[in-house]
Amino acid sequence: MRKILVAVVFIALIASNSFADAFDEVNLVKLPEPTKTGGISLAEAITNRHSGREFAEVDLTLQELSDLLYMTAGINRPNGLRVHPVAMAIQDTTVYVFDSDGVYKYNPLSHSLSLVAEGDHRQETGKQEFVGKAAVNLAYVHDINLWEGNKAPKELIKQWGFAHTGAAMQNAYLFAASKGWNAVVRGSFDAENLAKLMQLEDGQTITLIQSIGPKP
């Protein structure tokens, strides 16, 4: 994705003559507007949804990644609420993207990506060989810090965090099904090492990881 990002920046610079218009901060890139119409029906997507572990060794286009992230955890209302439901309107789930070029944090409010780590770290998201071949691996992170001041029991908040992950994950599954791609959710990964790579803070926990991409 790095070459695509550079091209996007270059075009933006020609149009604006300013880095400020292309980037909001260092290593942050705006994604293209997501495609919000068309595609197969919901009934077809649900019927086609399944877990598949075979992936073509190809990258997603920036538009495909934009669409995937919007459908997974994007903002679909003026009040900043997301496409997936959450308890008490607390947006405590963040999606991280592992692709062939690096690790990125998805920012729903600006529909952008922040670079977290350079290089191909896809294989580090699991022990299975196929995780290194999937176009992207999405890591879902629950942040209990966003519940500070709330009187709900911590154990209940953690359960809600997994429920939020499940809702976003199913969105990604349905989008993959609509594209004819494979997808599989995984709960086996080295959480400690990944947390260091992703620069997570105390209170931020990886709940699940999902491999997604075109079929071979």
Side-chain angles (χ1 to χ4, degrees), residues 28-214:
L28 186 146
V29 63
K30 294 283 189 181
L31 291 167
E33 280 296 310
T35 305
K36 300 179 182 179
T37 59
I40 67 175
S41 70
L42 176 60
E44 289 175 290
I46 291 175
T47 299
N48 293 338
R49 193 219 68 81
H50 69 284
S51 291
R53 297 168 174 80
E54 295 182 349
F55 299 97
E57 295 186 55
V58 297
D59 293 327
L60 299 186
T61 67
L62 204 59
Q63 186 65 59
E64 289 172 332
L65 184 58
S66 171
D67 294 348
L68 169 62
L69 292 174
Y70 171 77
M71 299 299 174
T72 301
I75 302 296
N76 68 344
R77 283 158 284 177
N79 59 4
L81 295 181
R82 300 190 191 178
V83 294
H84 66 84
V86 297
M88 303 180 72
I90 296 180
Q91 313 284 358
D92 60 2
T93 301
T94 301
V95 178
Y96 286 74
V97 181
F98 288 71
D99 72 4
S100 62
D101 286 326
V103 181
Y104 302 85
K105 176 183 175 181
Y106 175 52
N107 310 300
L109 283 173
S110 58
H111 194 54
S112 63
L113 294 170
S114 297
L115 178 64
V116 176
E118 293 187 290
D120 188 349
H121 298 277
R122 289 175 296 173
Q123 192 60 60
E124 296 173 48
T125 67
K127 296 181 180 180
Q128 304 97 322
E129 183 180 353
F130 68 80
V131 306
K133 297 179 180 179
V136 295
N137 288 282
L138 303 184
Y140 297 89
V141 174
H142 173 246
D143 190 349
I144 200 169
N145 299 312
L146 297 177
W147 289 84
E148 185 175 355
N150 190 287
K151 295 182 179 180
K154 284 190 175 181
E155 286 305 311
L156 183 57
I157 292 173
K158 290 180 180 179
Q159 291 177 24
W160 286 341
F162 275 94
H164 299 165
T165 292
M169 175 200 69
Q170 181 70 337
N171 282 1
Y173 257 124
L174 292 175
F175 178 76
S178 77
K179 300 289 287 185
W181 297 348
N182 271 339
V184 61
V185 67
R186 303 182 282 103
S188 178
F189 48 84
D190 190 332
E192 184 176 352
N193 283 337
L194 280 179
K196 292 179 181 177
L197 173 64
M198 296 161 63
Q199 303 177 31
L200 300 186
E201 302 175 357
D202 291 341
Q204 295 179 323
T205 305
I206 305 170
T207 49
L208 291 170
I209 296 178
Q210 191 173 22
S211 300
I212 300 176

Side-chain angles (χ1 to χ4, degrees), residues 5-46:
L5 298 187
V6 171
V8 170
V9 174
F10 181 72
I11 294 170
L13 288 176
I14 294 175
S16 66
N17 294 320
S18 172
F19 269 105
D21 290 334
F23 286 95
D24 292 329
E25 58 184 77
V26 176
N27 292 326
L28 186 146
V29 63
K30 294 283 189 181
L31 291 167
E33 280 296 310
T35 305
K36 300 179 182 179
T37 59
I40 67 175
S41 70
L42 176 60
E44 289 175 290
I46 291 175

